[in-house]
Amino acid sequence: MSNDTTHDSAPINSTRLLALNPKLRWACHSIRLAALVLIVFEPAIILWDLTDRTALLERMSRLYGLDPAGVSDFRYWSAVTIVMLKFPLAAIAVARLWRLTGIYLEGRVFSVEAAATLRLVALWGFAATIVDLTTLPLAAALILTEHIVKLPMDVWLAPIDVFFVLCCVFTLALSVILETAAEIASEHARFV
């Protein structure tokens, strides 16, 4: 009797796995592609914008009354360096995300390792977001000095940054839930 039950459930599980795998593969490869595009595209665009020192300082002159002649090369390039500090952390988060999707592609979606890797994605993403929240005001302070009070609120705290923090907190909570579920399932499998 138990043999029949096992035999009957195997085709259902196989059918579900066959249906899930293409969707899972597609999702994982899409996430990987989007993460790679983001980690290459965003720094390239920011560098492209920041390397045109004259145009950026003229824009700040029009917006905030900055005197471009008063900004030294050292202050300007220090600000550019500070802005670029978030990208190594973002690259680590993308590498962790790449590892996580690799675990999923291997079929270990509900494993302790997948949950632990998801937690690392959340923590590195959170670190990159916090660095991003601090680097833009610091860089602006280096360039604008006394005109810093004229900066709009979104330089100090952009709504998208709040969204990123919330996503990281949610992902961290989800990793704890998935890790607990994987541990319970592993314990249950040992007793059965």
Side-chain angles (χ1 to χ4, degrees):
M1 182 79 171
S2 68
N3 227 1
D4 290 338
T5 307
T6 312
H7 181 65
D8 288 342
S9 66
I12 294 170
N13 287 339
S14 298
T15 305
R16 285 183 184 160
L17 283 175
L18 286 174
L20 177 66
N21 283 338
K23 292 176 186 175
L24 182 62
R25 279 194 303 270
W26 179 85
C28 287
H29 290 304
S30 297
I31 290 168
R32 282 180 164 187
L33 179 63
L36 282 177
V37 167
L38 177 70
I39 202 64
V40 170
F41 183 71
E42 187 181 3
I45 292 297
I46 289 175
L47 269 176
W48 178 271
D49 193 34
L50 293 178
T51 53
D52 190 356
R53 181 178 190 261
T54 306
L56 183 68
L57 291 178
E58 284 176 8
R59 194 174 335 132
M60 288 185 164
S61 175
R62 284 191 308 272
L63 291 172
Y64 311 117
L66 173 74
D67 176 22
V71 179
S72 69
D73 283 343
F74 177 75
R75 277 182 30 213
Y76 183 81
W77 292 111
S78 295
V80 170
T81 303
I82 288 172
V83 167
M84 298 308 289
L85 285 177
K86 71 176 177 177
F87 291 111
L89 293 175
I92 293 171
V94 166
R96 292 295 173 187
L97 186 61
W98 190 277
R99 176 69 187 126
L100 177 66
T101 54
I103 292 169
Y104 290 166
L105 287 169
E106 292 168 3
R108 296 179 290 133
V109 177
F110 300 108
S111 66
V112 174
E113 182 185 7
T117 306
L118 182 61
R119 181 176 26 255
L120 288 174
V121 170
L123 291 174
W124 282 106
F126 186 71
T129 303
I130 295 302
V131 168
D132 187 31
L133 281 168
T134 57
T135 56
L136 189 56
L138 284 174
L142 270 173
I143 293 175
L144 291 170
T145 58
E146 70 274 357
H147 301 285
I148 195 98
V149 293
K150 296 180 183 177
L151 286 176
M153 183 61 184
D154 67 343
V155 170
W156 302 103
L157 185 64
I160 193 70
D161 292 326
V162 174
F163 175 73
F164 288 154
V165 168
L166 289 175
C167 285
C168 291
V169 169
F170 171 77
T171 305
L172 187 60
L174 184 62
S175 73
V176 171
I177 292 167
L178 291 174
E179 185 174 27
T180 303
E183 287 171 353
I184 291 170
S186 175
E187 231 174 80
H188 180 66
R190 273 188 260 148
F191 291 119
V192 173

